Amino acid sequence: MTKQGKLVPVAAVLAAGLVSASAPTSLNAQGPTTELRPPVVFAGVQAQYARPSGEFLDYVQHGGGLNVGVVWPVRAGGVFALRADGGFIVYGSETKRVCFSTTVGCRVQLDLTTTNSIAYGNIGPQLMVPSGPVRPYANAAAGFSYFGTTSEVEGSNEQDEPFASSTNFDDVTFAWAAGGGVLIPLSSGRTPILLDLGARYHGNGEVEYLKEGDITDNPDGSITYDPTRSEANLWTFQIGVSVGIRPGAAGNDD
């Protein structure tokens, strides 16, 4: 066999190796991209436990409620964002059985429930780590807090709905909040879901409010209120989920 004849099989093997090595690259280059853009907004809901602080703790021990928040990154995937929150905290409730009226008497009985609660709304800046398996964040906000006590009546059966209600006492105050937490991704894709664990301090300042036992029903039908005026600052500890909303992706999502 000539020298040229020996080179032909070697050249054929090298050519086959180059083709097989380049084939996956060519296919990958032609395949669709699955890279997703960062979310442009995060929306979340958290259950929260409230623990009064300072003077407020002398009158109220705890509370619970819900928080709803929306976070808009200034730049998608960036660390700076604007955050808005709204929610409520119930810090007292009492129910007693009452007669329907002086005319009907007690042959028909109703449940009278009085609830002491706080509703709030605030907005402010947030700093957050935009990616990774654990994403810390910190925020501050300013807004308002509404302290209200309401009473409502309903039938004594569990399936009955309230048919009358009234606001007994309320007060509104400027409020600020500051806190932080972590986001832990639970799922990815076009709509990622993250576990949200956080804590916040709510500075409500001095407020006038009612607590359990502060309303007295007098024999003549009149009502006596015994409001408390004090600082009403508190901590909230939250657990919930946050959902990231992305713009349209450059390719198909799997």
Side-chain angles (χ1 to χ4, degrees), residues 137-160:
Y137 63 83
N139 52 58
F144 72 92
S145 287
Y146 170 83
F147 286 68
T149 296
T150 60
S151 295
E152 60 183 21
V153 290
E154 62 184 1
S156 56
N157 296 322
E158 292 184 0
Q159 66 271 21
D160 292 338

Side-chain angles (χ1 to χ4, degrees), residues 30 37 42 60 67 72 103 118 121 123 126 151 159 167 176 200 213-214 218 222 231 235-236 245 247:
Q30 295 174 2
R37 301 176 185 175
F42 293 87
V60 177
N67 180 81
W72 294 274
T103 303
I118 306 169
I123 189 170
Q126 175 164 292
S151 295
Q159 66 271 21
T167 299
W176 61 271
R200 263 189 152 193
D214 282 350
N218 301 313
S222 63
E231 290 188 345
W235 283 93
T236 56
I245 302 173

Side-chain angles (χ1 to χ4, degrees), residues 28-69:
N28 288 339
Q30 295 174 2
T33 177
T34 58
E35 184 179 356
L36 296 173
R37 301 176 185 175
V40 296
V41 65
F42 293 87
V45 59
Q46 302 86 30
Q48 59 184 357
Y49 168 74
R51 179 65 175 173
S53 175
E55 190 177 6
F56 197 29
L57 185 58
D58 295 335
Y59 304 101
V60 177
Q61 297 302 307
H62 59 80
L66 286 176
N67 180 81
V68 176

Side-chain angles (χ1 to χ4, degrees), residues 72-207:
W72 294 274
V74 174
R75 179 179 60 82
V79 299
F80 297 100
L82 184 66
R83 174 171 178 153
D85 285 275
F88 71 90
I89 298 165
V90 175
Y91 64 89
S93 180
E94 53 185 332
T95 300
K96 66 178 181 177
R97 190 65 55 87
V98 297
C99 301
F100 183 81
S101 68
T102 56
T103 303
V104 176
C106 292
R107 293 190 180 187
V108 177
Q109 294 188 329
L110 303 173
D111 286 338
L112 172 62
T113 300
T114 300
T115 304
N116 307 303
S117 61
I118 306 169
Y120 62 85
N122 51 57
I123 189 170
Q126 175 164 292
L127 294 174
M128 60 182 182
V129 175
S131 61
V134 178
R135 308 175 187 181
Y137 63 83
N139 52 58
F144 72 92
S145 287
Y146 170 83
F147 286 68
T149 296
T150 60
S151 295
E152 60 183 21
V153 290
E154 62 184 1
S156 56
N157 296 322
E158 292 184 0
Q159 66 271 21
D160 292 338
E161 296 292 332
F163 62 85
S165 64
S166 178
T167 299
N168 307 118
F169 195 90
D170 59 9
D171 195 7
V172 181
T173 182
F174 168 81
W176 61 271
V182 294
L183 296 171
I184 302 174
L186 300 177
S187 68
S188 57
R190 186 182 295 276
T191 308
I193 300 175
L194 304 97
L195 177 66
D196 190 344
L197 304 173
R200 263 189 152 193
Y201 184 80
H202 300 253
N204 297 311
E206 193 171 274
V207 188

